[in-house]
Amino acid sequence: MKLRKVTAASAAVLALAVAATACGSSDNKDSGSSSGGGKKISVGIKFDQPGLGQKTPQGYSGFDVDVATYVAKKLGYSADQIEWKESKSADRETMLQRGDVDFIAATYSITPERQQKVDFAGPYLLAHQDVLIRSDDNSIKSPADLNKKKLCSVTGSTSAQNVKDKLAPKAQLQQYPTYSACLTGVQNGAIDALTTDDSILAGYAAQAQYKGKFKLGGFKMTNENYGIGVKKGSALKAKINTALEAMVSDGSWDTAVKKNFGPASYKNEPAPKIGVVKS
């Protein structure tokens, strides 16, 4: 009897020790993953935008990827500690609010409506709505020249409608399922122009198979201030702003622009000042 009592007591002590160790391990893991130098940091990007955020068999590439990688490094994470997650336009606020990602760099324009739901670091790029046309097409020199032209954008986008409503009321709107489909239409003459942000257009035009085939109109029809989205109230906002300032000052920002947009002869705006959002 006595032996049984001792054995039971020892088992109880051992169980408590194991439980305490397990709790300690969990706490340490959580602490590490939420601060610089932890095991992983989750970053949202686009997976289907050449020149900005694209998933390929070789990995991830684009300007947004380069910016996010630089920021993550300044936060204490190496490139292999980044967990890339696809952030489609309609999902970005929800992903941040749920904590699915730590931050999002995905052609994420800063708007008053979005600022009610999430916070933004930056902006880190000032883009503009523009058009992409064939390099040998000299008939479109201003937005007004889009009248009676076939103007393409993706289904559900407001870009083409903005042009028709404000600049070229006689433009013939064409909606395709993807920007790649629009681009093919421009290339074969079924479409006269593709419209969306100039940075996105430059990314497509910079692809090797399209080199020299397209040009941007340079119309700057809107201002699109790309920011890095974080959860409302997150302390990451200030840290990311510091990282973006460093990226500009050490020349890494210019290097990333030339690397990703250079082949399209993209005439980018200078790096914007942190906190200055142009309307």
Side-chain angles (χ1 to χ4, degrees):
M1 271 312 269
K2 186 176 181 181
L3 180 58
R4 289 177 182 173
K5 288 181 180 178
V6 171
T7 303
S10 299
V13 171
L14 180 59
L16 287 170
V18 170
T21 301
C23 290
S25 299
S26 177
D27 289 345
N28 289 338
K29 183 179 179 182
D30 290 344
S31 175
S33 64
S34 63
S35 60
K39 287 188 176 181
K40 291 288 182 181
I41 186 168
S42 295
V43 180
I45 57 169
K46 293 290 181 66
F47 277 14
D48 59 353
Q49 287 186 341
L52 286 152
Q54 186 177 30
K55 182 179 180 181
T56 70
Q58 293 73 39
Y60 300 90
S61 64
F63 182 70
D64 284 347
V65 174
D66 289 344
V67 170
T69 301
Y70 186 99
V71 168
K73 183 178 180 180
K74 288 295 184 180
L75 294 176
Y77 297 88
S78 59
D80 60 1
Q81 290 176 309
I82 301 174
E83 181 183 7
W84 300 106
K85 292 190 177 182
E86 184 175 17
S87 297
K88 296 181 179 179
S89 295
D91 300 333
R92 291 176 296 200
E93 284 85 37
T94 302
M95 291 180 73
L96 289 170
Q97 291 169 338
R98 284 194 313 227
D100 296 341
V101 291
D102 294 294
F103 67 83
I104 290 178
T107 58
Y108 203 0
S109 295
I110 302 171
T111 67
E113 294 77 18
R114 290 171 178 163
Q115 286 176 308
Q116 293 178 8
K117 300 176 182 179
V118 300
D119 284 342
F120 286 96
Y124 64 91
L125 183 72
L126 176 60
H128 307 281
Q129 186 181 341
D130 201 355
V131 295
L132 192 72
I133 56 181
R134 291 181 296 279
S135 58
D136 60 355
D137 186 350
N138 296 314
S139 67
I140 302 174
K141 298 179 180 179
S142 71
D145 293 331
L146 293 168
N147 281 305
K148 297 184 179 180
K149 298 286 188 179
K150 293 179 180 177
L151 180 65
C152 186
S153 195
V154 296
T155 304
S157 169
T158 59
S159 297
Q161 191 64 49
N162 285 341
V163 173
K164 185 173 178 64
D165 289 346
K166 301 174 183 178
L167 300 168
K170 294 182 180 179
Q172 300 174 26
L173 301 189
Q174 306 287 320
Q175 290 190 326
Y176 282 24
T178 65
Y179 289 119
S180 296
C182 282
L183 199 63
T184 299
V186 176
Q187 186 176 10
N188 63 29
I191 297 295
D192 295 304
L194 160 61
T195 185
T196 187
D197 295 357
D198 54 7
S199 58
I200 297 174
L201 296 173
Y204 277 101
Q207 295 178 92
Q209 67 267 36
Y210 297 133
K211 187 175 181 180
K213 295 182 179 180
F214 302 102
K215 63 183 177 182
L216 276 74
F219 298 157
K220 298 183 178 181
M221 294 180 279
T222 63
N223 289 331
E224 305 295 337
N225 301 268
Y226 290 175
I228 293 181
V230 297
K231 191 173 184 178
K232 198 74 174 173
S234 173
L236 277 180
K237 176 180 175 179
K239 295 177 181 179
I240 293 174
N241 278 337
T242 299
L244 292 174
E245 289 173 340
M247 187 176 188
V248 173
S249 63
D250 69 14
S252 298
W253 188 90
D254 284 321
T255 298
V257 168
K258 292 175 183 176
K259 168 189 168 186
N260 293 292
F261 302 128
S265 300
Y266 175 49
K267 297 177 181 178
N268 63 282
E269 297 278 3
K273 292 184 178 179
I274 299 300
V276 179
V277 178
K278 289 192 176 182
S279 58

